[in-house]
Amino acid sequence: MSVPQGRRSSTFTQLLRHGFTDPSAAVRLLDAPALAPVRSDPVLLDALGSTADPDLALIGLVRLVESLREHGAEAQVLLDTLVSAKPLRDRLLGVLGASEALGDHLARHPLDWHALVTYESADLHPGVEEFEDLLDGVPDPDALRAAYRRCLLTIAARDVCGTTDVAYAAAELADLATATLRAALGLAEAAAPDDAAVCRLAVIAMGKCGGHELNYVSDVDVVFVAEPVDGTDEATAIQAATRLASHMMRICSDTTAEGTIWPVDANLRPEGRNGPLVRTLSSHLAYYQRWAKTWEFQALLKARPVAGDLALGREYADAVAPMVWQAADRENFVADVQQMRRRVVENIPASQVERELKLGPGGLRDVEFAVQLLQLVHGRSDTSLRSGTTLDALAALAAGGYVGRSDAAALDAAYRFLRTMEHRIQLHKLRRTHLVPEEEADQRRLGRTLGRTYDWPAAGEPVATLHAEWRRHAREVQRLHEKLFYRPLLSAVAELESAEARLSSRAARQRLEALGYADPAAALRHLEALASGVTRKAAIQRTLLPVLLGWFADSADPDAGLLAFRKVSDALGKTPWYLRLLRDEGAAAENLARVLSAGRLAPDLLLRAPEAVALLGDPEGLQPRDRAHLEQEVLAAVGRADDAAHAVTAARGVRRRELFRTAAADIVGAYGTESSPAETDHGSVVDMVGSAVTDLNAATIAGALRAAVRDKWGDELPARFAVIGMGRFGGQELSYGSDADVLFVYEPRDGVPEQEAAQAAFAVANEMRRLLQLPTADPPLLIDADLRPEGKSGPLVRTLASYAAYYRRWSLVWESQALLRAAPVAGDADLGERFVELIDPLRYPERGLTEESVREIRRLKARMESERLPRGADRTLHTKLGRGGLSDVEWTVQLLQLQHAGDEPGLRTTRTRQALYAAREAGLIGAEDAQVLDEAWVLATRVRNAVMLVRGRPGDTFPTEARELAAVGRYLGYEPGHVGEMLDDYRRVTRRARAVVDALFYGT
């Protein structure tokens, strides 16, 4: 290949055409003395050009030939064979071009090239016994490592040359691992014969090794089980077995000059790394019967005895198998598998998610998880599904009709492609990785080796083709991952013309049950009603339902979600825009599924006016509307009505729609896909809900006032009339189930007698209350005026002068405290502002509070804590009156306002969180204490909102019914199965808040 300088450019062109990226280096290597006998043979250059990385293959070949010079004529034998024998040439150069690590091995052990001559026929692939023969007699761990690499060389050669497929290569790797474990255990027993004599030790392969689908570089997961030999006590036998197992693991895992075989991982054993390394069979069974989690049974699906006492290993496998196939009957089966799936995705670093072949969206784990879950669901009654090998299990699922044949074929192809990618990535440096490399050179080598396996066009650009094929298969996996569970359910109930096998009714019920549906029979009836028939509506439903069923199954109450969807579809199914909206606007369908399955309130609001579904498809549809626009719409609706009753019905209809808008925005945000619950500003969400509900209640009251006045007095009431919001209403902190606390204030208009004005004001106040509570399809708005002077015993309405006289002569400190959250909400704006001017000196006293007033507030609070908490209520979980709850935080903040608002204008606000922030800025409370109080107040408010969303009725404590409690947990951001953690967190947060309250409010 040595050429004159004048012809060097044409040589470079030739090398580039053959795929070399560094022609200068290639020329130097080809000119090396080691290749003198073959450098002019064009066959060599063509063969190098067909490898994954011609530069790497050439470097490896030169190193190998140079190493062989120390072995006499071996170098010449290799070169002669390389030119004359195409199978060897393809295998050797194929390995050298794909694996830098195996090139290093051949440089250290150059005679191992003969291993590539041994198995030239595709029909002579070795099994466990053949690998055992090849590893037999190794004298020490380093010899075992070298022999392992020699065997690995033959597997890699067949793999990269295409004489075996990825599934067979994975099975060969598992067989080689089995033989290696046996050899390593043999070395450990030879080193400690006394230990080997007193115990029976079995090694159980788990994970990919157990499933006969191992990677080139993967942890080999194992479990150890041991029994004493006759005459040996159990403790002695377990200690001896533990020493043997530990030694075996070190032989495989330790790194020396020969490298590492692979880590042996025993963390899938009972209790994980905290549990004993070795147990007896009875100890294993006791753990699985009493303590094991669902994922542990899923892991046992691949358990296979591989080394040691195989009879004991078979006993173990036979004993645990029935438990594996009963796992789907466990109470928390669905919650557990969903949690495991989410945890896998959440643990991927953000910087790696786009390159993750195994764990990322559309990755290998999606295929394995889907297949295993289907096995656990249907394998209870169908023993043909009980294979530990993913592709074998997928074929069995297709044969049994649990997966459509075309879907199974597509998933099989995608899985093989992704596994081949994974194998070739790991093969380069024999490192455990599932990430697609970032460097272009690495991607080019990967694209070339896959292109040879998959016959990509020679003229294609390997990197671009690689990415296109990878993304295509990943999308297919994502699509089929959704289909595998849900679409066959429709085939079980719908009149579908399909060549695919369909689920039986029994299998469909099993799948629904495993997915968390409490009443599978009812769910099947709903599916039949929605998807049967040949109408366009049924066809679109069949397209939508597979995805919707998955979203319902992710909720705490899938049955309720599916039932509500059927009701909405029954109401709107003939409306042309409804199904088109769900089909064409992806966010609308997901938002609807989340809203319908999150609880009772939002579906109840929606079912009274299903056309509100349209809000879910508009990006701006869930944004809350401000009070001015709401009031304008309400007053316009009132103006069109014939009488007061119809007018307030129209106003309440607007309120119902806006309540749904707010609830839907809250739910979609809580389940939102764009940020995790940990990243959500929950305080902002609470403020949004409080302001939105306050604004729409204020607008509704304004509409009721207009209707009541117009019905009897026409355009003008004989008195100026204002409604003052109190409590949470005035503080803009209403929750979904809050009443509207108000005061009514009036003044006679000019020339109107006092008695006439009083009668008119009293009548209009009563009429408003009546109209807003009339039984209709819309939720009532309860008006509570009990915070007025003299309470229930006092007049319902007062003039501004009467309020001034009362507050001047009779007002108590608790009334000043109540007025801290007074704000005009409807009626005469000028009168409302003058009322605020009247009460400001009372609620923001210039000199603060006297010591006696402070003591009185503390006495009132202590009395409320002892008398008003419902009998039997858990003080640590009551959101309003319990320890560290809303009352504790609000009274503490209000005491600070009464003491200091005269000097600190920032404290003059009706909103709790704003007042707390102002107190912190003024130095009246430390930043840490303020944060503790704010966190407790926000959390307690969220719990109250969640209870109303879930149950459809207000409540101040956590629900006791399991599904309702789980739904509250989902809203609060807790994964299924973590309600105990939710309650513990609530107690912790409120306990800290109570400590701050004791210090600041009670001074203790």
Side-chain angles (χ1 to χ4, degrees):
M1 187 59 66
S2 181
V3 294
Q5 184 68 31
R7 297 179 57 194
R8 187 169 294 272
S9 60
S10 62
T11 303
F12 280 13
T13 302
Q14 184 182 13
L15 289 169
L16 289 170
R17 189 171 64 250
H18 278 84
F20 287 86
T21 58
D22 189 349
S24 297
V27 167
R28 288 194 299 272
L29 288 169
L30 288 166
D31 284 342
L35 297 187
V38 296
R39 70 164 59 104
S40 61
D41 194 320
V43 171
L44 176 63
L45 192 59
D46 290 340
L48 287 167
S50 66
T51 64
D53 187 338
D55 302 86
L56 183 62
L58 180 55
I59 292 171
L61 178 60
V62 171
R63 293 178 64 203
L64 172 59
V65 175
E66 289 177 343
S67 296
L68 282 171
R69 284 182 167 182
E70 300 176 7
H71 297 272
E74 279 291 328
Q76 189 61 49
V77 173
L78 170 64
L79 292 173
D80 291 344
T81 311
L82 195 66
V83 172
S84 62
K86 184 178 189 302
L88 173 70
R89 184 168 61 247
D90 290 343
R91 286 172 181 237
L92 177 59
L93 296 183
V95 168
L96 292 175
S99 179
E100 181 181 317
L102 289 178
D104 292 342
H105 172 80
L106 283 170
R108 285 195 309 272
H109 301 277
L111 295 179
D112 280 0
W113 73 270
H114 289 284
L116 299 179
V117 182
T118 308
Y119 301 105
E120 292 190 357
S121 170
D123 298 326
L124 295 178
H125 298 168
V128 175
E129 293 76 14
E130 288 79 2
F131 282 127
E132 281 192 279
D133 291 341
L134 293 169
L135 301 178
D136 186 40
V138 291
D140 55 51
D142 265 350
L144 176 60
R145 295 182 185 105
Y148 172 81
R149 290 290 174 96
R150 184 163 54 250
C151 294
L152 198 64
L153 190 65
T154 66
I155 296 174
R158 285 189 292 275
D159 182 10
V160 297
C161 292
T163 57
T164 186
D165 70 1
V166 67
Y168 205 105
E172 280 193 292
L173 289 165
D175 287 341
L176 175 57
T178 298
T180 305
L181 289 170
R182 292 176 184 179
L185 183 57
L187 290 173
E189 291 173 339
D194 292 342
D195 285 342
V198 298
C199 67
R200 301 167 61 203
L201 174 64
V203 183
I204 311 297
M206 307 284 282
K208 290 188 179 298
C209 185
H212 262 108
E213 48 192 13
L214 197 61
N215 296 334
Y216 278 104
V217 188
S218 177
D219 291 355
V220 171
D221 297 306
V222 299
V223 168
F224 297 106
V225 57
E227 293 291 341
V229 171
D230 292 343
T232 305
D233 66 272
E234 184 176 298
T236 300
I238 292 298
Q239 291 170 359
T242 300
R243 288 191 290 271
L244 291 173
S246 298
H247 191 182
M248 186 203 80
M249 293 174 69
R250 288 195 301 274
I251 290 171
C252 296
S253 304
D254 286 353
T255 301
T256 69
E258 290 294 343
T260 302
I261 299 176
W262 18 247
V264 177
D265 188 342
N267 288 336
L268 290 179
R269 66 186 184 267
E271 300 179 81
R273 65 184 60 190
N274 297 319
L277 182 64
V278 180
R279 290 176 182 257
T280 62
L281 178 56
S282 60
S283 176
H284 275 283
L285 297 180
Y287 172 84
Y288 289 127
Q289 288 164 352
R290 297 185 62 188
W291 308 112
K293 297 179 173 63
T294 300
W295 70 263
E296 293 179 275
F297 294 110
Q298 188 169 349
L300 284 171
L301 192 152
K302 293 180 180 291
R304 179 173 63 92
V306 291
D309 191 314
L310 295 181
L312 176 59
R314 284 190 290 271
E315 286 184 57
Y316 173 92
D318 292 342
V320 300
M323 292 186 241
V324 172
W325 303 111
Q326 293 165 6
D329 296 328
R330 293 165 64 91
E331 182 178 352
N332 293 320
F333 174 73
V334 178
D336 289 344
V337 294
Q338 289 174 339
Q339 176 188 347
M340 183 166 61
R341 182 180 67 184
R342 293 188 188 95
R343 188 166 59 235
V344 166
V345 175
E346 289 167 359
N347 287 339
I348 305 173
S351 61
Q352 297 180 0
V353 68
E354 292 299 322
R355 298 192 294 125
E356 237 315 336
L357 265 182
K358 179 179 179 181
L359 305 179
L364 291 162
R365 183 58 60 85
D366 273 356
V367 181
E368 294 162 355
F369 180 89
V371 170
Q372 289 168 22
L373 190 52
L374 287 174
Q375 285 182 274
L376 291 172
V377 171
H378 300 298
R380 292 177 290 180
S381 56
D382 188 341
T383 58
S384 70
L385 305 179
R386 300 181 180 183
S387 170
T389 305
T390 301
L391 293 179
D392 290 348
L394 180 58
L397 287 164
Y402 304 101
V403 177
R405 294 187 185 280
S406 61
D407 287 344
L411 202 62
D412 180 287
Y415 186 71
R416 289 176 189 273
F417 179 85
L418 296 173
R419 285 301 304 274
T420 304
M421 271 188 78
E422 181 185 45
H423 275 204
R424 303 297 168 78
I425 291 169
Q426 292 183 349
L427 185 59
H428 180 220
K429 292 191 176 182
L430 288 181
R431 291 179 181 171
R432 182 176 182 268
T433 180
H434 312 289
L435 296 176
V436 177
E438 293 182 288
E439 297 297 328
E440 184 175 356
D442 293 328
Q443 292 186 10
R444 181 174 179 273
R445 181 182 56 258
L446 182 59
R448 282 173 60 92
T449 183
L450 287 169
R452 181 172 179 178
T453 301
Y454 285 93
D455 295 325
W456 292 344
E461 210 289 312
V463 174
T465 308
L466 168 69
H467 281 275
E469 288 296 298
W470 171 30
R471 296 305 179 193
R472 179 176 68 84
H473 284 293
R475 286 194 299 270
E476 188 73 353
V477 169
Q478 285 183 284
R479 182 183 69 83
L480 294 171
H481 185 71
E482 295 172 349
K483 284 185 62 177
L484 280 178
F485 289 100
Y486 310 116
R487 192 147 297 178
L489 291 171
L490 304 185
S491 299
V493 298
E495 299 292 334
L496 301 178
E497 292 184 7
S498 174
E500 296 183 354
R502 304 192 312 175
L503 284 181
S504 67
S505 294
R506 177 184 178 186
R509 283 194 298 271
Q510 283 184 335
R511 189 170 296 188
L512 284 164
E513 180 182 350
L515 290 166
Y517 288 83
D519 189 350
L524 283 174
R525 289 196 297 272
H526 299 325
L527 293 179
E528 184 173 11
L530 288 163
S532 293
V534 295
T535 63
R536 180 174 176 275
K537 170 186 172 184
I540 297 177
Q541 292 282 24
R542 289 195 290 270
T543 301
L544 292 170
L545 278 167
V547 180
L548 289 171
L549 283 170
W551 286 324
F552 293 147
D554 278 341
S555 74
D557 195 350
D559 300 79
L562 180 56
L563 174 60
F565 178 70
R566 179 183 174 183
K567 290 180 177 177
V568 172
S569 293
D570 286 347
L572 292 176
K574 294 182 180 179
T575 307
W577 58 264
Y578 165 65
L579 290 176
R580 185 170 63 246
L581 170 75
L582 299 185
R583 182 193 63 195
D584 298 339
E585 300 291 340
E590 182 172 4
N591 291 345
L592 179 62
R594 300 302 188 201
V595 167
L596 293 180
S597 56
R600 297 180 184 175
L601 178 64
D604 286 349
L605 294 169
L606 179 61
L607 289 171
R608 293 187 181 111
E611 64 276 2
V613 165
L615 297 175
L616 302 175
D618 181 359
E620 303 297 323
L622 297 182
Q623 295 298 315
R625 302 173 65 201
D626 62 67
R627 186 181 301 189
H629 286 92
L630 287 170
E631 188 168 325
Q632 183 180 13
E633 180 182 1
V634 167
L635 294 179
V638 166
R640 291 191 294 269
D642 295 332
D643 55 45
H646 286 93
V648 174
T649 296
R652 287 171 64 180
V654 174
R655 177 173 179 264
R656 177 201 60 238
R657 185 198 66 213
E658 295 305 318
L659 270 177
F660 173 76
R661 187 197 304 270
T662 303
D666 193 5
I667 292 167
V668 170
Y671 284 86
T673 56
E674 294 184 0
S675 63
S676 68
E679 298 170 339
T680 303
D681 182 355
H682 298 303
S684 296
V685 175
V686 164
D687 291 343
M688 180 276 291
V689 172
S691 295
V693 177
T694 298
D695 287 346
L696 66 94
N697 282 358
T700 305
I701 288 174
L705 175 60
R706 174 72 60 86
V709 170
R710 190 190 64 177
D711 201 48
K712 188 171 182 179
W713 292 279
D715 293 334
E716 187 174 270
L717 189 69
R720 295 184 179 87
F721 188 87
V723 182
I724 309 298
M726 301 289 286
R728 294 187 176 282
F729 194 11
Q732 290 186 273
E733 297 166 348
L734 288 178
S735 58
Y736 296 108
S738 298
D739 296 345
D741 292 313
V742 301
L743 300 178
F744 297 114
V745 58
Y746 76 97
E747 274 188 343
R749 295 191 182 276
D750 293 342
V752 176
E754 168 68 30
Q755 185 175 5
E756 180 184 350
Q759 290 174 345
F762 180 78
V764 80
N766 270 329
E767 181 67 358
M768 286 169 57
R769 298 169 75 188
R770 183 187 73 84
L771 291 170
L772 290 171
Q773 297 178 52
L774 284 175
T776 70
D778 299 313
L781 176 56
L782 302 179
I783 302 295
D784 187 340
D786 290 351
L787 290 177
R788 64 186 183 268
E790 302 176 80
K792 294 181 180 179
S793 302
L796 180 65
V797 295
R798 287 178 182 263
T799 62
L800 188 64
S802 176
Y803 276 107
Y806 175 85
Y807 289 138
R808 184 173 60 252
R809 299 180 60 188
W810 309 110
S811 177
L812 301 176
V813 67
W814 73 264
E815 292 178 295
S816 296
Q817 184 180 349
L819 289 171
L820 282 169
R821 294 204 280 186
V825 294
D828 190 294
D830 176 68
L831 181 58
E833 287 303 316
R834 285 190 285 129
F835 180 84
V836 169
E837 292 172 3
L838 167 68
I839 63 173
D840 273 354
L842 197 68
R843 59 182 177 174
Y844 309 136
E846 186 176 343
R847 295 182 177 83
L849 294 179
T850 65
E851 286 297 319
E852 177 57 33
S853 294
V854 172
R855 285 194 293 272
E856 177 63 17
I857 289 176
R858 288 171 175 166
R859 281 196 298 269
L860 287 170
K861 177 71 166 67
R863 178 179 166 189
M864 183 178 70
E865 289 179 12
S866 63
E867 294 180 1
R868 294 183 61 186
L869 191 73
R871 179 173 297 180
D874 186 342
R875 187 177 294 275
T876 67
L877 293 176
H878 199 279
T879 60
K880 183 177 181 181
L881 303 175
R883 178 192 69 187
L886 296 170
S887 175
D888 271 359
V889 177
E890 289 165 1
W891 280 60
T892 301
V893 172
Q894 289 161 15
L895 180 59
L896 290 173
Q897 288 180 282
L898 290 169
Q899 289 176 312
H900 302 287
D903 298 324
E904 293 291 342
L907 290 170
R908 299 171 192 174
T909 174
T910 63
R911 307 191 72 160
T912 301
R913 298 187 73 215
Q914 287 185 4
L916 183 58
Y917 176 81
R920 188 194 72 187
E921 291 298 297
L924 302 174
I925 181 174
E928 183 176 348
D929 286 348
Q931 176 62 33
V932 168
L933 293 183
D934 185 69
E935 183 182 5
W937 190 88
V938 168
L939 179 56
T941 303
R942 293 181 68 217
V943 172
R944 292 183 94 201
N945 284 341
V947 169
M948 184 65 184
L949 287 169
V950 169
R951 302 177 67 192
R953 60 181 188 275
D956 290 319
T957 190
F958 289 88
T960 55
E961 198 275 323
R963 280 193 177 251
E964 292 180 345
L965 186 61
V968 169
R970 293 301 306 278
Y971 171 86
L972 294 178
Y974 291 86
E975 298 296 345
H978 285 257
V979 293
E981 180 183 338
M982 170 182 69
L983 299 178
D984 289 344
D985 286 348
Y986 182 86
R987 289 188 173 103
R988 175 182 53 80
V989 169
T990 54
R991 181 176 64 248
R992 294 175 62 210
R994 179 62 188 210
V996 175
V997 171
D998 285 341
L1000 292 179
F1001 183 84
Y1002 287 110
T1004 58

Short mmCIF file of all heavy atoms in Angstrom, two decimals, residues 13 216 232 234 295 305 378 597 685 743 823 927:
data_model
loop_
_atom_site.label_atom_id
_atom_site.label_comp_id
_atom_site.label_asym_id
_atom_site.label_seq_id
_atom_site.Cartn_x
_atom_site.Cartn_y
_atom_site.Cartn_z
N THR A 13 -8.35 9.35 -1.12
CA THR A 13 -9.74 9.29 -1.60
C THR A 13 -10.28 7.88 -1.51
O THR A 13 -11.43 7.64 -1.11
CB THR A 13 -9.81 9.80 -3.05
OG1 THR A 13 -9.30 11.13 -3.11
CG2 THR A 13 -11.23 9.75 -3.57
N TYR A 216 -24.04 -7.70 26.81
CA TYR A 216 -22.59 -7.92 26.85
C TYR A 216 -22.01 -7.53 28.21
O TYR A 216 -21.16 -8.22 28.76
CB TYR A 216 -21.90 -7.11 25.75
CG TYR A 216 -21.94 -7.79 24.40
CD1 TYR A 216 -22.80 -7.36 23.41
CD2 TYR A 216 -21.12 -8.88 24.14
CE1 TYR A 216 -22.85 -7.98 22.17
CE2 TYR A 216 -21.15 -9.52 22.91
CZ TYR A 216 -22.02 -9.07 21.93
OH TYR A 216 -22.06 -9.71 20.71
N THR A 232 -25.14 -31.09 59.99
CA THR A 232 -24.64 -29.72 60.20
C THR A 232 -25.77 -28.83 60.66
O THR A 232 -26.88 -28.89 60.12
CB THR A 232 -24.05 -29.16 58.89
OG1 THR A 232 -23.06 -30.05 58.40
CG2 THR A 232 -23.43 -27.78 59.13
N GLU A 234 -27.91 -25.40 61.14
CA GLU A 234 -28.27 -24.42 60.12
C GLU A 234 -27.37 -23.20 60.15
O GLU A 234 -26.93 -22.70 59.10
CB GLU A 234 -29.73 -24.00 60.31
CG GLU A 234 -30.24 -23.05 59.24
CD GLU A 234 -31.71 -22.72 59.40
OE1 GLU A 234 -32.54 -23.66 59.31
OE2 GLU A 234 -32.01 -21.54 59.64
N TRP A 295 -43.17 -5.63 43.40
CA TRP A 295 -42.05 -5.63 42.44
C TRP A 295 -41.14 -6.84 42.66
O TRP A 295 -40.51 -7.31 41.71
CB TRP A 295 -41.25 -4.34 42.52
CG TRP A 295 -40.43 -4.16 43.78
CD1 TRP A 295 -40.78 -3.47 44.89
CD2 TRP A 295 -39.12 -4.69 44.02
NE1 TRP A 295 -39.78 -3.54 45.82
CE2 TRP A 295 -38.75 -4.27 45.31
CE3 TRP A 295 -38.24 -5.47 43.28
CZ2 TRP A 295 -37.53 -4.61 45.90
CZ3 TRP A 295 -37.01 -5.81 43.85
CH2 TRP A 295 -36.67 -5.38 45.14
N PRO A 305 -32.60 -21.39 38.37
CA PRO A 305 -31.42 -21.98 38.99
C PRO A 305 -30.31 -22.12 37.95
O PRO A 305 -30.55 -22.62 36.84
CB PRO A 305 -31.90 -23.36 39.46
CG PRO A 305 -33.37 -23.34 39.36
CD PRO A 305 -33.74 -22.32 38.33
N HIS A 378 -52.49 -12.18 33.13
CA HIS A 378 -53.14 -13.30 32.44
C HIS A 378 -52.47 -14.64 32.72
O HIS A 378 -53.07 -15.70 32.47
CB HIS A 378 -53.18 -13.04 30.94
CG HIS A 378 -53.92 -11.79 30.58
ND1 HIS A 378 -55.27 -11.62 30.86
CD2 HIS A 378 -53.52 -10.63 30.00
CE1 HIS A 378 -55.65 -10.42 30.44
NE2 HIS A 378 -54.60 -9.80 29.93
N SER A 597 -61.74 11.69 36.62
CA SER A 597 -61.35 10.62 37.54
C SER A 597 -60.74 11.15 38.83
O SER A 597 -60.28 10.36 39.65
CB SER A 597 -60.36 9.68 36.85
OG SER A 597 -59.24 10.38 36.36
N VAL A 685 -51.15 28.35 43.63
CA VAL A 685 -52.35 27.63 43.24
C VAL A 685 -53.48 27.91 44.23
O VAL A 685 -54.63 28.15 43.86
CB VAL A 685 -52.07 26.12 43.13
CG1 VAL A 685 -53.36 25.35 42.85
CG2 VAL A 685 -51.04 25.84 42.05
N LEU A 743 -71.84 40.95 55.77
CA LEU A 743 -72.64 41.94 56.50
C LEU A 743 -73.43 42.74 55.48
O LEU A 743 -72.96 42.94 54.35
CB LEU A 743 -71.73 42.90 57.28
CG LEU A 743 -70.79 42.32 58.35
CD1 LEU A 743 -69.96 43.44 58.95
CD2 LEU A 743 -71.57 41.60 59.42
N ALA A 823 -64.41 43.33 53.58
CA ALA A 823 -64.14 44.02 52.32
C ALA A 823 -65.43 44.08 51.51
O ALA A 823 -66.20 43.10 51.47
CB ALA A 823 -63.07 43.30 51.52
N ALA A 927 -38.01 34.93 59.52
CA ALA A 927 -38.26 34.37 58.19
C ALA A 927 -38.58 32.89 58.26
O ALA A 927 -39.48 32.39 57.56
CB ALA A 927 -37.05 34.62 57.28
#
